[in-house]
Amino acid sequence: MMDVFIADQIPEQALQILRENNLSFEMYQGEKLIDKATLLAKVASVKYLITPLSTQVDQDIIDAAPNLQLIANFGAGTNNIDLDYAAQKGIPVTNTPFVSAVSTAEVTIGLMLALSHRMVEGDSLMRGAGFNGWAPLFFLGHQLEGKTLGIIGLGQIGQEVAKRMHAFDMKIVYTQRTQAPAELEEKLGATYVTKDELLKQADIVTLHIPATPATNHYLGEREFKLMKNSAILINAARGQVIDEKLLPEMLNQKEIAGAALDVYEAEPAVSDELKAMKNVILTPHVGNATVEARDAMAEIVAKNVCAVSKQETAKYIVNDVK
């Protein structure tokens, strides 16, 4: 019996931790994401499953693993796993929070800068027709200083974004279900406003909320029309939180000025309409794709497996195991 099945290739750091704890494991080596049939077969006899957030772990997978004692999700999100069913079966599910916040915040800020200063557009131009030389009105973008940044969700990532953009002399407003403590607001230079107020005020809107039934299409037609015509949208959270099918129409109608997306509603698929737009930047879900963040995530999943193997409690359990 294999102790651990790892449903995608993960950093060596995790494997070394498993070896040091005398746990046997198999790691999926395919170039594409693991298919359901393969996953069903692999989990049949294992005690611990390490899975990326891109792999669905549904009731079928859980039922196929009668010896399963832990599902360690390699990612902060957990909407790929049937948490309630795992809890019914007495299987804890863990995630990897906090450690990817800085990386995702940096990507968010990179997208803001690239879109505001038209960097990707400029790169495309230089690889094609090129330009005739510097001119006063050529290829103008917008600086961030003095602009209003609207942060939707002031959690770990939202806070890291606010901290950095405060140094850019941006006005920062945020919204979420409950107002943050006054000392945190003061530290970040952030002001709490309603959702509608944020959308009306912000020159840049950035999303940092999870994908839940309550946040599905959190930004739809009504919200896009509340935004400034000059505003840009950044989404490095989850694709489902905006109405992605409607986004090209809103851009074409100049309801908003541009968008930068690192996540997609039907990921990894992206619409041809979005691909064709010059005022849209598309990146392949690289929010936490740094050596530092992925190593830290690997350490968490491996140590959680080792803890459960020693009959200890894992960290970051996200479901209500009875």
Side-chain angles (χ1 to χ4, degrees), residues 191-209:
T191 302
Y192 179 76
V193 296
T194 67
K195 175 183 177 180
D196 286 2
E197 287 171 341
L198 181 146
L199 294 171
K200 291 174 183 178
Q201 291 181 30
D203 298 296
I204 300 174
V205 174
T206 181
L207 291 143
H208 301 288
I209 51 178

Side-chain angles (χ1 to χ4, degrees), residues 4-308:
V4 189
F5 180 67
I6 307 169
D8 204 346
Q9 297 176 55
I10 63 175
E12 174 64 26
Q13 186 166 345
L15 310 185
Q16 186 59 35
I17 291 170
L18 297 177
R19 292 187 192 102
E20 289 170 356
N21 285 268
N22 299 313
L23 289 168
S24 59
F25 61 86
E26 179 183 353
M27 184 166 66
Y28 178 68
Q29 298 293 325
E31 292 183 5
K32 296 183 178 180
L33 295 178
I34 192 168
D35 60 87
K36 186 171 183 177
T38 301
L39 185 56
L40 283 167
K42 294 296 184 181
V43 299
S45 61
V46 299
K47 299 175 184 176
Y48 317 106
L49 172 64
I50 296 175
T51 181
L53 56 81
S54 53
T55 294
Q56 295 296 313
V57 181
D58 57 17
Q59 292 188 20
D60 293 339
I61 302 298
I62 294 169
D63 284 341
N67 303 308
L68 199 59
Q69 298 175 29
L70 175 71
I71 301 170
N73 210 41
F74 195 101
T78 54
N79 50 304
N80 58 312
I81 298 172
D82 192 328
L83 299 180
D84 291 338
Y85 193 68
Q88 289 177 31
K89 294 287 188 176
I91 303 168
V93 177
T94 61
N95 68 342
T96 58
F98 311 121
V99 293
S100 60
V102 168
S103 178
T104 306
E106 289 180 352
V107 167
T108 297
I109 293 163
L111 292 172
M112 285 184 208
L113 287 164
L115 192 57
S116 297
H117 289 272
R118 303 174 65 185
M119 292 179 180
V120 175
E121 250 188 288
D123 179 80
S124 179
L125 175 69
M126 294 307 297
R127 294 174 189 274
F131 74 127
N132 296 323
W134 187 93
L137 298 180
F138 175 68
F139 222 76
L140 300 182
H142 293 278
Q143 64 189 41
L144 300 185
E145 182 184 23
K147 300 296 192 301
T148 298
L149 173 63
I151 299 176
I152 297 175
L154 199 67
Q156 292 293 320
I157 298 170
Q159 290 175 35
E160 295 292 347
V161 171
K163 180 170 68 174
R164 288 157 175 77
M165 302 322 291
H166 185 47
F168 273 62
D169 292 327
M170 296 191 78
K171 176 185 177 183
I172 298 171
V173 296
Y174 76 96
T175 195
Q176 57 186 14
R177 286 179 296 178
T178 57
Q179 187 170 353
E183 56 269 25
L184 179 61
E185 290 183 334
E186 183 177 359
K187 175 184 175 183
L188 299 175
T191 302
Y192 179 76
V193 296
T194 67
K195 175 183 177 180
D196 286 2
E197 287 171 341
L198 181 146
L199 294 171
K200 291 174 183 178
Q201 291 181 30
D203 298 296
I204 300 174
V205 174
T206 181
L207 291 143
H208 301 288
I209 51 178
T212 68
T215 62
N216 189 61
H217 289 184
Y218 186 88
L219 296 187
E221 184 173 7
R222 186 188 77 87
E223 289 78 17
F224 286 130
K225 290 186 174 181
L226 283 175
M227 292 170 65
K228 295 179 180 180
N229 298 130
S230 58
I232 63 173
L233 172 67
I234 312 293
N235 188 14
R238 288 292 181 267
Q240 295 87 344
V241 301
I242 67 172
D243 188 341
E244 190 178 303
K245 289 183 179 179
L246 184 65
L247 183 56
E249 180 183 340
M250 294 295 98
L251 289 162
N252 283 324
Q253 292 179 2
K254 302 189 185 306
E255 294 292 346
I256 63 173
L261 309 177
D262 186 49
V263 290
Y264 306 93
E265 194 165 1
E267 193 167 309
V270 185
S271 72
D272 290 336
E273 292 91 340
L274 287 173
K275 290 179 182 180
M277 304 187 90
K278 291 184 177 180
N279 56 343
V280 172
I281 295 176
L282 306 171
T283 52
H285 201 152
V286 294
N288 61 22
T290 60
V291 171
E292 295 83 0
R294 296 287 169 87
D295 278 352
M297 294 163 71
E299 183 174 336
I300 289 172
V301 295
K303 286 186 174 180
N304 274 337
V305 166
C306 295
V308 174

Side-chain angles (χ1 to χ4, degrees), residues 303-318:
K303 286 186 174 180
N304 274 337
V305 166
C306 295
V308 174
S309 75
K310 298 172 184 176
Q311 300 183 328
E312 299 170 356
T313 302
K315 291 183 177 180
Y316 313 124
I317 295 174
V318 295

